Amino acid sequence: MASAAPGPAEQARAVLVASGKGGVGKSNLSLNLAIAARRLERRVLLLDADVGLGNAEILAGVSAPLHLGDVLAGRCTLEQAVVGGPGGVDLLAGGHGLGELPPVDGLRWRHVLGQLAGRRWDLVVIDGGAGVGGPVRPQLLAARELLVVTTPEPTALADAYAVIKLVAAGGQGLPPRLWVVVNQVQRAAEGQAAFARLASVCRRFLGVEPHLLGLVPHDPRVREAVQRQVPLLLAAPHSPAARAVEAMARHLLGCPPPAAGGLLAYLARLWPGRGAPPGREAAGGPVAG
């Protein structure tokens, strides 16, 4: 029997943005990468998955009174929680002051997936939590396309390696595609050398090959944009950092998505066994938590 054609959410490419430590610019990069993809005529959702510490709406300068936890708890619909963000990007906030996402039974999860299946996004940028423990671990293991943000500092590179080590050792099935962004570089040679060191140890000890998505130069306009709560691509679109992010978006979208890299497949791996939306089968497997 022929399988049903993939729906909009299955086709939506899901890219998880991660970092081994806070303070490397992960959330800011997620926001501006989403805006850059929207400028390339993609329909984009920025999903803030840093539960309880989400700050995407703060960086974006928008009000998001409802969040992902409200949707999962049944307090609102997905339509009510998603707000219009800057640059034409949709935003689903992560919420503040939450210890973790509420428990979700199979019926509720099936309903949430059904809502997602009707949305027509081309790309979902998932701003994950920092580190490798707690609720971040299953996010990392569920990803099929992972963008690790680091800086040239040795501690940041060591923490980025810890993220890649987790997904290399703990994933099931196809290995994820691994992108690396080196942020806050003083010179291009510094960023290239930092990536080369990280890639070398990944090849030697993990047997995986990360790909350099790009280097973001240190740029005082980034800090100014954060203070103004205006995304860099809107506050200073011609700045060196903004141009670097736009180049990364073109590079990312110029590569075909990995197998099983759609939004619903990611969520099914994140919460396996919760059921699929009506008429669909969840393409999930076990996720270590």
Side-chain angles (χ1 to χ4, degrees), residues 4 28 39 47 66-67 99 117 142 166 178 182 185 188 208 212 240 251 261 272:
N28 200 28
R39 288 183 171 179
L47 195 166
L66 300 172
H67 53 76
L166 172 67
L178 294 169
V182 186
V185 302
V208 298
L212 180 63
H251 187 180

Side-chain angles (χ1 to χ4, degrees), residues 23-118:
V24 298
K26 170 183 62 64
S27 293
N28 200 28
L29 179 67
S30 299
L31 171 62
N32 284 284
L33 185 66
I35 293 173
R38 183 69 187 93
R39 288 183 171 179
L40 294 173
E41 300 183 350
R42 302 310 199 273
R43 295 161 296 190
V44 183
L45 171 69
L46 175 61
L47 195 166
D48 190 344
D50 194 357
V51 179
L53 297 173
N55 55 18
E57 72 262 39
I58 297 173
L59 291 170
V62 301
S63 174
L66 300 172
H67 53 76
L68 178 60
D70 293 317
V71 178
L72 294 176
R75 292 188 289 267
C76 69
T77 65
L78 180 74
E79 194 73 32
Q80 292 169 325
V82 173
V83 300
V89 170
D90 287 338
L91 171 66
L92 178 55
H96 297 278
L98 305 173
E100 58 184 8
L101 287 177
V104 187
D105 61 30
L107 183 62
R108 173 62 60 189
W109 185 229
R110 186 180 174 89
H111 180 61
V112 171
L113 290 180
Q115 295 178 65
L116 282 166

Side-chain angles (χ1 to χ4, degrees), residues 152 182 185-195 212 215-217:
V182 186
V185 302
Q186 297 290 345
R187 302 174 309 280
E190 177 190 46
Q192 292 283 359
F195 172 74
L212 180 63
L215 310 174
V216 182

Side-chain angles (χ1 to χ4, degrees), residues 164-197:
I164 297 173
K165 181 179 179 180
L166 172 67
V167 299
Q172 304 227 0
L174 294 173
R177 178 181 295 162
L178 294 169
W179 298 103
V180 173
V181 169
V182 186
N183 198 15
Q184 303 170 19
V185 302
Q186 297 290 345
R187 302 174 309 280
E190 177 190 46
Q192 292 283 359
F195 172 74
R197 290 196 300 274

